[in-house]
Amino acid sequence: MDLEDDTTVFATLKSFNSFISRPDPPQRLSEQAAAGAGLQMQYKRSMELLEAAEKLHSKNQYLQLDQEKRQMELSHKRARFELEKAASDSARDFEREVDRNQELLGRIKRLEEREAESAKSQSEQVEANRALRKKLEGLTQKLEERDSTLETANQTISALKDEIRELKQKIQNQDATISTQTLENQALEEQLDLQRRKYQEVSQLCQSLQSAQSSCSEHIIKIKELERRLALQEQDVVMVRTMKSEVARVPDMDKELRRLREDNAYLRESRENSSLLKEEVEGLRRKLERMERTKEELVNMELEKERLCEKLQAWENLGQSTGLNIRKPEDLSREVIQIQQREIALKEQNYTLTSRVRTVERSQSELQGELAQQRSKALEEQKKRESQDALVRRLQKRVLLLTKERDGMRSILESYDSELAPTEYSPQLTKRLREAEDILQKTQSHHAEMEVQLTKAQEETGALKLQLQTVELELESVKKQQASAAESNSLVTKEEVSTLRLKIEDLEAERQRLEEQNSILEMRLERHNLQGDYDPVKTQVLHFKMNPTSVAKQQRQQEVESLREEVIRLREHLRSLQDGGALVHAQDDSSMPGSSLCLSLPPSQEVLDLRKQMESSELRNQRLKEVFQRKIQEFRTVCYVLTGYQIDITTENQYRLTSVYAEHMDDSLLFKKGSSGSMQLMETEFSKTLGEMVALHLHHQKSIPAFLSAVTLDLFSRQTAV
Amino acid sequence: MTSTLKGITLKGSAELVAEFFSFGINSILYQRGIYPPETFTRVTQYDMSLQLTTDVKLKNYLTNVVSQLKEWLFECTVQKLVLVITCLETNEVLERWQFDIECDKSAKESSAPREKSIKTIQDEIRSVIRQITATVTFLPLLESACSFDLLVYTDKDLVVPDRWEESGPQIISQSEEVRLRSFTTSIHKVNSMVAYKKTDSV
């Protein structure tokens, strides 16, 4: 199929081949069957030729086909390549298209939604439109109604204008009548003048009459006066008579007077007495008060006395219990003082004794020291004595020795003397002897001296011993004394001391308590002092009489009093008004409800003044209004006459101009004042007919006065032409 | 001022103290608003600016009282000066400014001047007045209309002069007291304090 599709040539060729090849076998069979060799040969040759030719041809064709095939392949490749390319492109395109499609689908959806929405809105709008149409129709109906009413109004306006015209005419007629009436008036005034003159004459006559009447009345008064005088005189006469009778009574009166004077004097005295008595009474009363007070005090005192008696009893009991002569606190204090004094004395004694003991001890110690010294001295002396004794013994021994020696020597010497010639050796020996004797004498003297010294020392030691003994005795005596003193002290005063000690402790405790109290009281006092308290015994508090506080208080008092008075006054006033004003209320409520209050309270001068001022100002206002109205009317008429236009203000910022020469009553021009002050012509029925002039004067020349003048001229010319 | 730079005499001391009272009372009246502030004028004293009243009646009253006080200071018979602030509506005592005066009576006998310079005394006085000014911060506000009175505590044997009379001590019920500074001229010692009514709200 592909081949056929690709090339038509192949198709024809094959069909040809097939065409050729198909009838081949039967031919061959027929030829073989029928057969001739020649023919067969020829046929074979031709067939071979044909085959060769066909082979060549097919070769060619093959080559050609090969080439073609190559070309075809190439082109096929190319085409495939291109196709691939195209395929990829188309794939890409396809993708894009798919995307787009999706987008578009989305868009379509959105659009569908929108469409739905729009359809909804459309339907709504359609409904709204319908409603609006209905409204419009209603409005148009209303408008038409309005138009109709406007037209009716216009008609009424025109009718009214006609009426105004008629009224004007009537006014003119009335003016005429007024002028005639003024004429009549003048005539009447003249008549009035005449009447006045007549009246003056009459009044003069009246005056004369009055003067006559007044003189008459004066006369009458005089007469009356005279009559009164007469009556007075008659009274005088009566009085004189009475006086006479009284004068007759005068001496009696004098007597009485004297008596009365005496009485008076007596009464005066008695009054003085009475005043004295009063004073006395006062004094007595005071005394009584004092007495009462003293009585009260007495009672108090008695109570106190009883209390004190009880206390005293307690004290006495205490005194009895204690055994001391305590009857009163004074006694106690005296006793305490005595005890204290005794204690003090005892203390003093004690002190003196202790001091004495101390001195004695001191002296004892001194003496002991001395004793020791003395003992040591004695020992020394003894030692000395012993040494001296030893020395004496030695010396005695030596003396013995020496005497023995001397004796020996003397014997030797005597032997020598006997043996030898004394002449040779004797001087020498005698010398020696003498020397020895001297020495002996010296030693003997020394001995004696020593012995003397010894005795002296012994004497001394004896004296010292004596002293020592005396001192010891003294010491003992002192010790004894001391012991006795201590014993006596302890025996006598121990109890007293203990009681006194207790008392002292109590007193000390009390003292501490009192000190505390004192400090508390001092603190309190300080606090009170801070708060401004003072001791009335020592201090007085003064202040200036006219100090600001009292002045302010007085002022306040006065103010309060004045206010109170005012309140009372007002209350009374109110009461009187409530009583009397009820009738006035009843009368005035119907006619003047506002003035009832004014009537009830007499208006003060200020209120009256203010009312007057108000009235005058109101009057002035009224007058001003009238004047303004008149002036405005005048101004309007002048404008109407001069410009030929009547200007009316229909509504705010709208002015209607009606010409004098208007053909119809409702021919008018309507101007509106813009925000910038410029005037704009509004369309009316009349202005529609003035298209030309509007175009010329307003649009072209832009001048309203020119337009108005042109309109005036036009209307005027139309009227005159008619 | 009779005292010289050397020292201070009894007379000079009395005058100094009286002057202090004059200025002190004025500044209390100004600070506590007993009189409207526009009736006060500014003056310079003790190296500070103080308020002095211009109200004629008040001035008169103060000069009367202060001159009498000076006399008593000279005689050393005055013990206290008290400025009492009373509420006019309820007649209740709201504040008491108390100046205790301690007189050195020995100065009456010996006229020898004491050695204390006026400058130091005035410094002390200035600090007292400063403290008076500062008390406004803690004293309760005087809401109603108030008036003041000056009480002088003197010795009992003093003869009450004309235009003066005895008075009560005007003690505040339930008061709080604050001690202020004191100063001394070495003859007169002035202890100042203020007592005020306790308010329930505080």
Side-chain angles (χ1 to χ4, degrees), chain A residues 9 67 83 94-95 139 222 251 351 389 469 472 493 519 565 569 673 690:
Chain A
V9 180
Q67 271 180 344
L83 273 167
F94 179 70
E95 277 170 13
L139 285 169
K222 267 182 193 170
Y351 281 137
D389 281 346
Q469 273 175 346
E472 268 176 355
T493 57
S519 62
E565 276 172 18
R569 207 150 43 74
K673 194 178 168 189
L690 307 168

Side-chain angles (χ1 to χ4, degrees), chain A residues 452-466:
Chain A
V452 168
Q453 265 187 356
L454 192 76
T455 53
K456 256 192 213 169
Q458 268 171 346
E459 275 170 16
E460 235 173 278
T461 50
L464 279 169
K465 261 180 190 167
L466 270 173

Side-chain angles (χ1 to χ4, degrees), chain A residues 392-438:
Chain A
V392 167
R393 258 173 237 149
R394 256 189 292 151
L395 284 170
Q396 274 176 344
K397 276 177 189 171
R398 208 185 274 181
V399 168
L400 281 172
L401 283 170
L402 279 169
T403 48
K404 275 178 187 172
E405 217 174 332
R406 190 193 63 184
D407 288 341
M409 290 302 265
R410 255 184 199 161
S411 62
I412 291 165
L413 271 175
E414 275 168 8
S415 66
Y416 276 131
D417 277 342
S418 59
E419 278 173 22
L420 292 164
T423 52
E424 281 173 34
Y425 303 99
S426 61
Q428 224 179 348
L429 278 170
T430 50
K431 228 189 236 176
R432 266 191 203 174
L433 195 79
R434 270 173 209 158
E435 277 172 17
E437 275 175 353
D438 283 347

